[in-house]
């Protein structure tokens, strides 16, 4: 269903769509009592207690005052309700802090400061650099003359690279003041979860433009929970707010969680109740027979000769009340109070306070502590959860010479510094590729220092390293790029950018030296994407050895290469490239084919090695939890190569030759089916340890597998202990949690971004990290911690302790009840 949004018109859109209020609460003031009672009475044990209490209202069968049962029952339910209300109140306070955050909006042509929760669809929202986007916006203005802004989408899709967003063509050239008065209509689809797509139309009203329709795509939007980066200001029209944002649609409604101990107690209660029914039937039948054969003969019993039909039930129901002590009502309040107390130990644990941010751990859900000890699968995000998103240039091999092997830091290697000073051609060209072949945006801080904003952490590390080696990227204006090297300024015109894709595994730029006029192709990429395209006369054995050596050290490698391009060759190729870029059919395949016409006969310059910084204690935590019998799945929105490298670095998967990494890929149903069958066959016949065999799947293949081959994928999930799922959406993360839960596994989901919220809510236990991507995950989680390493203490210390005590308590109450029951019967 389409919606029509009137820009800067409060009266038209005021009541049509929801407000921009964030809510992770389970209850409201109106539904708390009925919803909480419904949840409590959904458990068989509570239904049993209510049945016994109702029977006690019949004075003919009860030997005690009903208040003796109803009083404790009401108290117990009140305690449970109070605990739930307190947990939900804490969630409300967390939401309140986010909802009351102040933002700038335009109302009636005036810029005002209002709370985030008061934003309405159609309002113009103004953002400053580093501001968090409060709702889904269609961009209409930026501080950049070209109408470009940069956003960080890590909280949305897990990718830390900066994304470029453009204002629509209809809004180009509008000045600051004119944006306050802009009027128009946006036609867009109804709210949906697809963060990769937005199809709309913009029509500005006169005098701004003469009713021309301007198409809108996802490139013209900035979505909720993204951050504005490297842009002084930007403004946009609110199109989706509150729970109707693309991120809000993936959150869902928190569901009540039943722990394993609670499920066990419910089963025991059911078994005891069945036993009671048998006892009641036997004893009740014997009692009625005795009453009719013996009791009526005794004058002092005073049984009437005629009796109502229900008198046959009196003796059996009396026995039911006598046997009710088998399940003591005290067990419920005992368990609830003990669980609350154990949860407080998590809040009070000083060893789980993050010293960097002074963030303590917190138990939002106090009812599931014992489930921490029964976790079988941990599903973890990557970006910001396992990593710190900080990559460091460590080593390199240039022209067959290794730098940084002795010191562990190539930037301090005397040999490399001397080669730069002496002007070695290979080294200079190597540094030039590092500084030029990228999508990094340089910006100057107020202090005058150059800051780099990159679409890839690898690129940022390479540009920083080049700058430290005197090849400094100082400016990038439109297609002109400026490099400062040893006091001289070099200018290059970027003619074309051949973007990185998962199939090509490389990126290239075609540049023209503004001084000499020479055209060059600069390339960087994976070894299998660069080395096979080296020119015939070049020996690449040294570079292959360098890649193997650096990979064994857990470093991320890239090969750098270049070649000169003749003017005629470039002009001919450029026409083919523009034609391929404008085609509507098989565009990606056509572009890759044209790119390969230029990316050949390369001169390989060398290999770079980058260290991806993990959070402290991540490998040790994963190794310890593996020894405890817990399996790991990584669910990330990031690229496949990056995820695999991180998995190797943190002991998530075993390196070759011991480990096997099986790939499920494909763009069509047939391709995915063949790939899935091949992986399944390997998993069935493998003799390797389960932890040494893992599979990797991307979002496209996963979507097809879950839709058309769910049974086969479920079998794979049962066979596999380790999986890496890349380029997955928030809804796919939640589907994978449900898949493992359907196999009767206890799951724990951990993440730190808004894209992890649905996964956290679906898991048996949700853990949120209060990290760099905000507090969305921490607010929606059952437990929040400061760093991933605290997960070990949460599970192995608090989980085991609470589980052992709770299990002991339930078993003690059960056996005590049985003993008292048999004494009463005898």
């Amino acid at each position: 269903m389409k919606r029509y949004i009137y820009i800067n018109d409060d009266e038209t859109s005021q009541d049509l769509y929801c407000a921009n209020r964030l809510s992770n609460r389970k209850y409201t003031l109106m539904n708390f009592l009925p919803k909480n009672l419904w949840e409590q009475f959904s458990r068989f044990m509570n239904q049993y207690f209510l049945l016994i209490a109702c029977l006690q209202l019949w004075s003919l069968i009860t030997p005690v005052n009903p208040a003796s049962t109803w009083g404790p029952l009401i108290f117990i339910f009140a305690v449970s309700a109070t605990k739930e209300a307190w947990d939900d109140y804490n969630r409300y306070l967390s939401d309140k802090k986010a909802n009351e955050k102040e933002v700038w909006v335009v109302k009636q042509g005036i810029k005002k400061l209002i709370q985030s929760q008061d934003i309405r669809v159609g309002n113009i929202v103004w953002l400053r650099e580093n501001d968090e986007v409060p709702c889904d916006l269609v961009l209409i203005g930026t501080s950049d003359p070209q109408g470009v802004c940069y956003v960080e989408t890590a909280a949305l899709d897990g990718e830390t690279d900066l994304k470029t967003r453009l204002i629509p063509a209809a809004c180009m050239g509008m000045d600051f003041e004119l944006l306050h008065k802009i009027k128009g209509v946006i036609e867009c689809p109804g709210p949906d979860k697809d963060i990769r797509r937005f199809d709309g139309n913009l029509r500005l009203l006169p005098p701004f433009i003469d009713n021309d329709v301007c198409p809108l795509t996802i490139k013209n939007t900035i979505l909720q929970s993204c951050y504005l980066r490297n842009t002084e200001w930007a403004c946009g029209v609110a199109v989706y707010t509150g729970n109707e944002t693309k991120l809000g649609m993936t959150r869902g409604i928190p569901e009540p969680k039943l722990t394993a101990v609670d499920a066990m107690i419910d089963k025991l209660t059911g078994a005891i109740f069945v036993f009671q029914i048998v006892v009641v039937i036997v004893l009740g039948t014997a009692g009625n027979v005795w009453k009719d054969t013996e009791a009526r003969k005794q004058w002092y019993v005073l049984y009437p000769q005629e009796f109502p039909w229900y008198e046959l039930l009196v003796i059996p129901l009396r026995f039911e009340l006598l046997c009710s002590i088998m399940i003591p009502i005290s067990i419920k309040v005992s368990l609830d109070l003990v669980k609350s107390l154990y949860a407080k130990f998590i809040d009070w644990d000083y060893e789980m306070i993050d010293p960097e941010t002074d963030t303590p751990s917190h138990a939002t859900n106090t009812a599931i502590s014992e489930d921490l000890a029964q976790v079988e699968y941990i599903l973890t995000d990557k970006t910001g959860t396992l990593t710190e998103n900080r990559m460091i240039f460590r080593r390199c091999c240039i022209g067959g010479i290794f730098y940084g092997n002795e010191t562990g830091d190539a930037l301090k290697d005397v040999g490399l510094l001397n080669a730069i000073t002496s002007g070695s051609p290979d080294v200079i060209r190597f540094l030039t590729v590092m500084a030029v072949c990228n999508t990094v945006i340089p910006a100057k801080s107020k202090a005058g220092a150059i800051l780099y904003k990159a679409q890839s952490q690898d690129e940022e590390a390479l540009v920083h390293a080049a700058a430290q080696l005197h090849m400094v990227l100082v400016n990038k204006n439109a297609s002109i790029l400026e490099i400062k090297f040893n006091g001289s300024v070099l200018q290059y015109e970027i003619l074309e950018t051949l973007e990185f894709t998962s199939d090509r595994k490389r990126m290239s730029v075609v540049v023209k030296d503004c001084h000499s006029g020479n055209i060059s192709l600069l390339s960087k990429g994976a070894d299998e994407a660069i080395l096979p395209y080296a020119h015939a006369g070049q020996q690449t054995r040294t570079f292959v050895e360098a890649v193997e050596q650096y990979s064994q050290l857990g470093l991320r490698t890239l090969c750098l290469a270049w070649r000169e391009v003749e003017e005629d060759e470039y002009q001919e190729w450029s026409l083919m490239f523009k034609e391929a870029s404008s085609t509507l059919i098989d565009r990606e395949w056509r572009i890759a084919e044209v790119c390969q016409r230029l990316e050949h006969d390369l001169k390989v310059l060398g290999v770079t090695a980058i260290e991806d910084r993990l959070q402290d204690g991540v490998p040790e935590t994963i190794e310890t939890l593996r020894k405890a019998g817990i399996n790991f799945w990584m669910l990330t929105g990031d690229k496949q190569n990056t995820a695999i490298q991180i998995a190797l670095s943190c002991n998530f998967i075993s390196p070759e030759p011991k480990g096997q990494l099986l790939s499920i890929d494909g763009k069509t149903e047939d391709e995915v089916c063949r790939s899935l069958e091949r992986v399944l066959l390997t998993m069935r016949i493998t003799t390797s340890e389960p932890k040494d065999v893992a599979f990797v799947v991307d979002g496209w293949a996963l979507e097809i597998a879950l839709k058309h081959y769910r049974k086969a994928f479920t079998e794979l999930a049962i066979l596999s202990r380790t999986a890496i799922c890349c380029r997955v959406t928030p809804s796919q993360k939640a589907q994978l949690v449900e898949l493992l839960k359907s196999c009767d596994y206890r799951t724990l989901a951990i993440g730190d971004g808004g894209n992890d919220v649905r996964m956290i809510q679906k898991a048996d236990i949700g853990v949120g990290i209060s990290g760099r991507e905000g507090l969305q995950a921490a607010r929606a989680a059952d437990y929040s911690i400061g760093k991933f390493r605290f997960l070990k203490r949460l599970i192995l210390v608090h989980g085991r302790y609470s589980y052992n005590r709770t299990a002991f308590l339930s078993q003690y109450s059960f056996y005590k009840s049985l003993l008292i029951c048999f004494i009463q019967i005898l």
Side-chain angles (χ1 to χ4, degrees):
M1 181 178 179
K2 292 183 179 180
R3 59 167 56 181
Y4 294 89
I5 298 162
Y6 297 89
I7 303 173
N8 212 1
D9 189 345
D10 293 338
E11 295 181 1
T12 307
S13 302
Q14 183 73 26
D15 300 322
L16 291 178
Y17 310 112
C18 69
N20 193 45
R21 179 181 292 272
L22 172 69
S23 178
N24 288 297
R25 299 172 60 189
K26 290 174 60 178
Y27 309 103
T28 64
L29 289 176
M30 296 296 294
N31 70 11
F32 172 74
L33 190 60
K35 188 174 182 179
N36 182 261
L37 289 176
W38 175 264
E39 289 180 4
Q40 294 204 54
F41 283 117
S42 63
R43 294 185 53 188
F44 180 78
M45 182 173 67
N46 294 339
Q47 296 170 12
Y48 173 80
F49 292 149
L50 181 63
L51 172 65
I52 297 301
C54 290
L55 289 177
Q56 298 243 358
L57 293 174
W58 192 1
S59 59
L60 187 61
I61 65 172
T62 180
V64 296
N65 191 321
S68 63
T69 299
W70 279 97
L73 184 66
I74 293 173
F75 172 75
I76 288 168
F77 282 109
V79 168
S80 297
T82 301
K83 181 172 66 66
E84 284 290 318
W86 178 252
D87 290 344
D88 207 53
Y89 178 69
N90 287 328
R91 286 190 284 266
Y92 161 74
L93 293 179
S94 180
D95 292 341
K96 185 172 182 287
K97 185 177 180 180
N99 289 328
E100 293 181 352
K101 187 176 180 180
E102 293 185 331
V103 296
W104 289 98
V105 301
V106 174
K107 288 193 173 183
Q108 299 177 349
I110 301 174
K111 196 174 177 182
K112 297 180 179 180
L113 195 63
I114 67 170
Q115 293 182 352
S116 175
Q117 62 187 353
D118 295 328
I119 296 174
R120 293 293 187 271
V121 169
N123 287 161
I124 298 176
V125 180
W126 284 80
L127 303 170
R128 295 168 295 179
E129 186 174 6
N130 298 324
D131 278 355
E132 183 180 5
V133 183
C135 59
D136 291 352
L137 306 175
V138 167
L139 196 65
I140 59 172
T142 75
S143 58
D144 186 86
Q146 306 296 323
V148 178
C149 76
Y150 302 92
V151 294
E152 182 182 290
T153 62
L156 190 69
D157 56 18
E159 299 184 19
T160 56
D161 53 333
L162 296 184
K163 306 292 193 308
T164 57
R165 293 294 183 261
L166 305 170
I167 66 174
C171 299
M172 283 290 186
M174 289 191 184
D175 60 24
F176 189 87
E177 296 297 331
L178 198 58
L179 288 171
H180 284 193
K181 304 173 184 178
I182 191 171
K183 293 284 186 178
V185 180
I186 295 176
E187 178 188 7
C188 62
D192 60 57
K193 302 178 183 179
D194 192 350
I195 62 176
R196 300 168 182 162
R197 185 173 181 176
F198 177 83
D199 299 319
N201 292 315
L202 169 66
R203 186 192 301 270
L204 295 184
L205 301 179
F208 299 96
I209 199 168
D210 190 17
N211 272 333
D212 287 343
V213 175
C214 177
L216 301 174
T217 68
I218 195 67
K219 296 288 286 184
N220 305 122
T221 67
I222 44 180
L223 303 182
Q224 184 188 39
S225 293
C226 297
Y227 285 85
L228 186 68
R229 304 295 192 198
N230 198 36
T231 307
E232 185 179 347
W233 61 264
C235 66
V237 180
V239 289
Y240 303 121
T241 53
N243 291 330
E244 292 183 345
T245 64
K246 290 185 179 293
L247 185 60
M249 295 288 287
T250 65
R251 288 195 190 104
I253 301 172
E255 300 174 355
K257 297 181 179 181
L258 185 67
T259 67
V261 170
D262 289 334
M264 177 191 70
I265 291 174
D266 262 8
K267 290 179 181 178
L268 288 175
T269 303
I272 294 173
F273 181 69
V274 171
F275 174 71
Q276 284 181 358
I277 295 299
V278 174
V279 171
V280 165
I281 291 174
V282 172
L283 297 182
T285 302
N288 281 323
V289 171
W290 177 82
K291 178 185 69 175
D292 292 334
T293 57
E294 298 294 333
R296 295 187 185 280
K297 298 178 182 178
Q298 309 299 327
W299 62 269
Y300 53 84
V301 177
L302 299 178
Y303 271 115
Q305 294 300 318
E306 294 184 3
F307 53 87
W309 64 269
Y310 57 77
E311 188 168 348
L312 291 175
L313 301 176
V314 171
I315 293 179
L317 291 178
R318 284 175 178 172
F319 275 110
E320 174 61 33
L321 291 179
L322 288 174
C323 293
S324 65
I325 199 170
M326 287 183 180
I327 309 173
I329 200 170
S330 61
I331 186 174
K332 177 174 172 53
V333 70
S334 299
L335 285 174
D336 288 345
L337 291 177
V338 167
K339 287 179 182 181
S340 300
L341 180 60
Y342 287 145
K344 279 298 175 184
F345 283 125
I346 297 174
D347 295 350
W348 297 334
D349 192 341
Y350 289 102
E351 294 188 30
M352 292 179 65
I353 296 178
D354 182 17
E356 295 180 13
T357 60
D358 199 31
T359 303
S361 58
H362 177 61
T364 305
N365 189 339
T366 60
I368 60 173
S369 299
E370 69 273 15
D371 253 14
L372 288 168
Q374 302 195 25
V375 172
E376 297 169 274
Y377 276 84
I378 293 177
L379 299 97
T380 176
D381 179 41
K382 177 187 72 68
T383 307
T385 303
L386 301 176
T387 68
E388 291 183 350
N389 303 329
R390 298 173 185 171
M391 298 189 187
I392 301 174
F393 184 86
R394 285 299 185 193
R395 306 185 185 194
C396 62
C397 173
I398 306 175
I401 302 174
F402 289 81
Y403 298 103
N405 281 17
E406 299 297 329
T407 62
D409 188 355
L411 302 179
K412 298 179 181 179
D413 192 300
V414 177
L416 180 58
L417 298 176
N418 290 337
I420 296 173
T421 304
S422 62
S424 169
D426 283 347
V427 173
I428 301 303
R429 197 166 283 121
F430 183 87
L431 296 178
T432 302
V433 176
M434 287 174 58
V436 175
C437 185
N438 54 66
T439 57
V440 174
I441 306 296
K444 286 189 177 181
S445 65
K446 294 180 180 180
I450 298 177
L451 304 176
Y452 295 117
K453 301 296 182 180
Q455 292 191 14
S456 166
Q457 294 291 327
D458 298 83
E459 291 186 339
E460 185 178 351
L462 291 177
V463 173
H464 268 295
Q468 289 182 267
L469 296 172
H470 312 297
M471 186 72 69
V472 185
L473 174 62
V474 294
N475 191 25
K476 183 180 285 187
N477 185 11
S479 61
I480 302 299
L481 184 145
E482 291 185 4
I483 301 291
K484 195 172 183 179
F485 179 66
N486 286 341
S488 61
V489 177
L490 309 174
Q491 288 190 332
Y492 296 92
E493 180 184 358
I494 300 178
L495 302 177
E496 299 290 352
T497 299
L498 285 57
E499 296 181 355
F500 175 91
T501 67
S502 57
D503 293 328
R504 294 175 60 243
K505 296 184 180 179
R506 61 181 175 270
M507 174 207 173
S508 302
V509 292
V510 182
V511 297
K512 182 177 183 179
D513 191 323
C514 295
H515 176 68
S516 65
N518 295 331
I519 298 176
S520 303
L521 173 75
L522 311 181
S523 298
K524 74 172 188 295
D527 55 303
E528 67 267 28
I530 296 292
L531 298 182
Y533 298 97
H535 68 82
Q538 185 175 15
Q539 295 293 327
T540 59
R541 179 178 298 177
T542 304
F543 300 123
V544 173
E545 293 174 356
V547 170
E548 292 179 355
Q549 180 184 0
Y550 294 151
S551 298
Q552 289 176 0
L553 296 174
L555 302 176
R556 299 162 59 87
T557 60
L558 284 172
C559 293
L560 275 55
W562 83 292
R563 82 175 182 93
E564 289 187 358
V565 180
E566 297 295 332
E567 179 74 26
D568 294 341
E569 181 187 4
Y570 167 72
Q571 293 298 337
E572 182 183 352
W573 176 86
S574 180
L575 293 175
M576 292 189 292
F577 184 74
K578 289 178 181 178
E579 182 183 353
S581 299
S582 60
T583 185
L584 298 178
I585 302 174
D586 295 330
R587 178 183 297 179
E588 185 176 345
W589 178 82
R590 291 283 304 278
I591 289 176
E593 183 183 30
V594 173
C595 288
Q596 196 162 343
R597 291 176 179 268
L598 198 65
E599 294 171 325
H600 61 85
D601 292 333
L602 301 174
K603 180 180 180 182
V604 182
L605 297 171
V607 181
T608 64
I610 298 172
E611 178 188 7
D612 190 2
R613 290 288 299 274
L614 295 173
Q615 289 185 17
D616 292 338
V618 166
E620 295 80 5
T621 299
I622 292 176
E623 185 66 26
T624 302
L625 293 176
R626 277 194 179 281
K627 290 179 180 178
I630 299 174
N631 307 307
F632 279 85
W633 280 29
M634 180 193 291
L635 315 182
T636 176
D638 214 339
K639 306 174 186 67
Q640 181 170 309
N641 288 342
T642 304
I644 292 173
Q645 291 292 338
I646 292 297
L648 287 167
S649 300
C650 63
N651 295 332
F652 197 85
I653 56 177
S654 303
E656 295 181 351
K658 183 180 179 181
Q660 297 182 60
L661 187 59
L662 310 174
S663 178
I664 301 175
D665 49 26
K667 300 293 184 181
T668 65
E669 291 184 27
D670 291 339
E671 292 176 351
V672 173
C673 180
R674 288 194 297 269
S675 181
L676 184 58
E677 288 178 350
R678 183 181 67 251
V679 171
L680 261 176
L681 179 61
T682 305
M683 295 293 293
R684 289 174 186 144
I685 65 176
T686 184
T687 57
S688 302
E689 289 290 327
K691 67 178 182 179
D692 293 332
V693 184
F695 72 88
V696 59
V697 60
D698 63 20
W700 290 106
L702 179 62
E703 184 176 354
I704 294 172
L706 290 176
K707 185 176 181 179
H708 300 285
Y709 308 106
R710 190 177 184 88
K711 184 177 180 181
F713 193 80
T714 302
E715 182 184 354
L716 179 62
I718 295 173
L719 292 173
S720 177
R721 303 287 181 87
T722 307
I724 302 172
C725 303
C726 313
R727 294 289 191 185
V728 292
T729 63
S731 58
Q732 286 177 331
K733 290 184 177 185
Q735 290 179 53
L736 289 171
V737 172
E738 289 182 318
L739 183 74
L740 288 174
K741 288 176 66 176
S742 68
C743 302
D744 294 328
Y745 291 126
R746 283 280 155 179
T747 59
L748 181 148
I750 180 169
D752 69 322
N755 60 321
D756 303 314
V757 168
R758 192 67 183 134
M759 170 181 74
I760 286 172
Q761 291 177 336
K762 280 291 183 181
D764 295 302
I765 299 173
V767 179
I769 294 180
S770 305
R772 296 173 63 190
E773 294 181 19
L775 298 174
Q776 296 96 331
R779 292 192 192 106
D782 301 307
Y783 300 94
S784 63
I785 56 180
K787 287 288 189 294
F788 183 85
R789 67 177 183 271
F790 297 133
L791 188 64
K792 177 171 66 175
R793 184 168 179 83
L794 181 67
I795 293 176
L796 299 183
V797 176
H798 294 284
R800 300 295 181 187
Y801 183 81
S802 63
Y803 173 74
N804 291 337
R805 297 301 184 276
T806 306
F808 168 77
L809 176 65
S810 62
Q811 292 170 7
Y812 169 74
S813 299
F814 170 63
Y815 291 122
K816 181 184 72 173
S817 303
L818 281 182
L819 178 61
I820 293 175
C821 175
F822 283 117
I823 291 175
Q824 290 285 346
I825 292 174
L826 292 175

